[in-house]
Amino acid sequence: MIVYKVEGWTKGNLPVVLFAIKTEYSKQKYYDSNKRRFEVKVLVINCGSSSLKYRILDMRTEELLVKGLVERIALPGSVIIQEKQGDRTELDLPLQDHKDAISHVLGLLTDEVHGVLKSLDEISAVGHRIVHGGEHYSEAAYVTDEVIEAIEQCKDMAPLHNHAHVLGIRACRDLMPNTPMVCVFDTAFHQTMPPESYLYAIPYEFYEKYKIRRYGFHGTSHGYVSKRAAEILGKDLKDLKMITCHLGNGASLAAIKGGKCFDTSMGLTPLDGLVMGTRSGVLDPAILTFLAEKENMSAEQVLNMLNKKSGILGLSGISSDFRDVEAAAKEGNERAHQALDVYVHRVKAYIGSYAAEMNGLDVLVFTAGVGENDRWIRSRICENMDFLGIELDPEKNQVQGEEAIISTEASRVKIMVLPTHEELVIARSTKEIVEKL
Ligand code: ADP
């Protein structure tokens, strides 16, 4: 709708008219000199079951204005920790639920001393990170009632996450009813996988009935680093076979052929695949009933153990943090050593199988907490892989947390370290969708 506003009258009694394109969200829209609309500040929200991470990015420069973390929502000892340039605020206060938490976060963001906004109207759009989009979404989506319903429907497959996401979306809707919102799905990037990658070999009726299949996660990260790698190498993504290793607390690999995900190590849920900080990754499913019987545990208790007490923590008995486990291994702790050996062995096995699936490999990317920082793990993974054309340069591998090519000149495969920026991808997708409204 075009709205005219008479601002005054000329001497000839002609009206001086200002006009603006008014939409439901006109307060939040900004125009550049070419009258193209663009969004300025995007709030990115990542709701967990009892935690919430948030960031505001200025999308003119993609600068991070503020970031924060809420912990222990609806539990004793809840806290909001917010950081902006030169200012760290910690608020200990009871938070009843996600809406209460978001309401306090918005209060802190507009606080005169610690905030970064004069009013909430400055937030042009909200981007929500959603773990599971099922088969519904192969890209980000503008939030409507239908989208919320679809996220609810996937909650059997990511019960803790998806329920929390819906709470977060509803809270934002209540508190900022005129601000457009977008959902960005962890599973979306992997929707290009062919059936031979995503089907589990169980009776087909269970795929039809319950959509039991491999979905994959960390999609925003795999998608971002694969594009970035092609950009840095000056190559077209279409011409590249890549393996991206997102190695953080949670960890997954993706085989990316011609820019599209061909296979990934996480499955129906983020428990499948690699050994992780506290998650077992792939195992013989018969272990579940074996342990349930022997230890008199319910299926849910065994699953909880596989999610929270396994992986590097379970094997080493020390910690889920690689820094602690590596320190122990260096001091001669045998179990710590073994835990890291199992971790590295599994990553190598996946790299080998993905190179075989794609009939080759051009680029190997390391990202996330471990991938970006842990030189020792990177060098262990790349050890004895020269038959595949993977040759690490030990000196270049000293890099931490910055973009770099760490392979030797002779290496057929380019090995890269690329910090991931999931929040930036969410903000970019949000901006892109809201711009088109
Ligand atoms: P999340 O999956 O929670 O997003 P991150 O990608 O932030 O996790 O990775 C966190 C993990 O990265 C930590 O648990 C730690 O094991 C590992 N990590 C972070 N920094 C280092 C480092 N300098 N050396 C080794 N490991 C590191």
Side-chain angles (χ1 to χ4, degrees):
M1 176 170 61
I2 296 185
V3 182
Y4 296 92
K5 188 175 172 218
V6 177
E7 279 289 291
W9 300 88
T10 64
K11 279 185 189 153
N13 244 6
L14 288 171
V16 174
V17 172
L18 285 185
F19 68 91
I21 300 163
K22 185 174 166 59
T23 72
E24 202 185 336
Y25 310 116
S26 62
K27 261 197 291 182
Q28 287 95 32
K29 299 227 160 103
Y30 297 82
Y31 300 83
D32 66 14
S33 54
N34 297 318
K35 297 279 179 291
R36 274 181 321 205
R37 195 175 77 206
F38 60 92
E39 303 300 318
V40 179
K41 287 170 190 158
V42 174
L43 170 63
V44 176
I45 289 200
N46 180 355
C47 258
S49 52
S50 64
S51 70
L52 186 160
K53 289 182 195 156
Y54 63 94
R55 287 183 181 213
I56 294 184
L57 290 103
D58 184 329
M59 294 311 286
R60 285 172 299 193
T61 54
E62 298 193 334
E63 182 196 354
L64 175 69
L65 300 180
V66 67
K67 66 176 181 179
L69 169 70
V70 187
E71 286 184 310
R72 302 186 63 80
I73 298 171
L75 295 168
S78 40
V79 60
I80 305 179
I81 303 159
Q82 179 168 290
E83 282 175 43
K84 64 172 186 176
Q85 261 180 355
D87 183 51
R88 187 177 190 277
T89 318
E90 200 167 320
L91 283 182
D92 295 302
L93 74 178
L95 297 169
Q96 284 167 17
D97 51 28
H98 285 74
K99 185 168 176 187
D100 200 17
I102 292 178
S103 165
H104 279 93
V105 165
L106 297 179
L108 190 54
L109 289 172
T110 47
D111 181 81
E112 263 184 34
V113 181
H114 303 291
V116 288
L117 306 170
K118 288 201 179 70
S119 98
L120 291 181
D121 284 349
E122 283 179 49
I123 298 176
S124 316
V126 182
H128 292 270
R129 179 218 176 191
I130 308 293
V131 165
H132 219 306
E135 283 188 330
H136 302 282
Y137 297 104
S138 53
E139 38 194 69
Y142 177 66
V143 174
T144 60
D145 290 340
E146 251 175 38
V147 172
I148 298 177
E149 173 71 15
I151 297 169
E152 291 259 32
Q153 274 176 21
C154 297
K155 76 170 187 249
D156 284 349
M157 296 186 273
L160 298 179
H161 287 107
N162 272 33
H163 180 61
H165 299 329
V166 170
L167 292 177
I169 295 170
R170 293 223 161 100
C172 287
R173 259 194 167 180
D174 288 348
L175 298 163
M176 295 183 282
N178 292 330
T179 308
M181 295 199 282
V182 168
C183 286
V184 180
F185 302 92
D186 265 19
T187 45
F189 179 70
H190 304 297
Q191 278 295 302
T192 51
M193 278 192 290
E196 62 265 34
S197 298
Y198 72 67
L199 283 178
Y200 287 115
I202 58 175
Y204 195 74
E205 66 194 79
F206 296 126
Y207 168 60
E208 291 178 312
K209 210 164 156 186
Y210 304 116
K211 296 289 169 209
I212 294 180
R213 49 159 283 180
R214 183 183 294 288
Y215 287 95
F217 299 87
H218 298 134
T220 36
S221 176
H222 289 294
Y224 170 78
V225 294
S226 59
K227 284 192 197 92
R228 190 74 196 116
E231 252 169 44
I232 292 171
L233 297 172
K235 296 256 167 85
D236 194 329
L237 256 179
K238 288 198 180 69
D239 302 327
L240 294 173
K241 292 171 183 167
M242 268 190 214
I243 296 175
T244 49
C245 310
H246 178 108
L247 309 178
N249 252 327
S252 67
L253 256 61
I256 302 169
K257 201 171 162 186
K260 293 192 171 149
C261 178
F262 187 74
D263 205 348
T264 191
S265 59
M266 281 180 169
L268 176 75
T269 74
L271 179 58
D272 204 354
L274 301 175
V275 176
M276 304 178 220
T278 63
R279 283 173 244 169
S280 64
V282 66
L283 43 73
D284 182 341
I287 294 172
L288 216 143
T289 47
F290 184 94
L291 274 180
E293 218 170 273
K294 295 277 181 205
E295 293 282 310
N296 200 18
M297 289 159 96
S298 67
E300 205 182 325
Q301 284 170 322
V302 179
L303 213 55
N304 194 45
M305 179 272 292
L306 296 176
N307 266 306
K308 299 198 173 145
K309 295 181 182 158
S310 302
I312 288 288
L313 169 69
L315 278 172
S316 70
I318 293 168
S319 164
S320 63
D321 193 306
F322 283 71
R323 289 163 287 199
D324 303 336
V325 182
E326 279 166 36
K330 274 176 200 143
E331 280 164 20
N333 185 306
E334 195 46 40
R335 269 178 61 189
H337 231 289
Q338 238 171 26
L340 296 165
D341 284 350
V342 176
Y343 178 89
V344 168
H345 175 83
R346 184 97 44 100
V347 177
K348 286 168 84 84
Y350 269 97
I351 292 176
S353 83
Y354 286 172
E357 283 179 30
M358 293 191 290
N359 187 22
L361 180 65
D362 302 306
V363 187
L364 178 67
V365 179
F366 289 101
T367 192
V370 178
E372 289 165 28
N373 295 299
D374 199 326
R375 310 155 176 141
W376 186 77
I377 286 282
R378 287 195 305 248
S379 73
R380 290 281 321 273
I381 291 171
C382 294
E383 221 168 53
N384 296 326
M385 300 275 257
D386 49 324
F387 81 103
L388 264 181
I390 294 175
E391 285 176 44
L392 190 76
D393 182 321
E395 265 179 36
K396 292 181 185 161
N397 184 42
Q398 292 311 305
V399 72
Q400 274 189 304
E402 51 185 278
E403 293 183 340
I405 299 175
I406 56 170
S407 40
T408 62
E409 290 295 324
S411 179
R412 243 186 308 124
V413 173
K414 293 276 180 228
I415 313 171
M416 303 176 83
V417 173
L418 296 175
T420 192
H421 291 291
E422 285 161 297
E423 291 83 5
L424 175 61
V425 179
I426 295 172
R428 279 182 185 166
S429 302
T430 302
K431 173 178 179 278
E432 209 177 294
I433 288 183
V434 172
E435 266 180 344
K436 287 185 197 144
L437 286 176

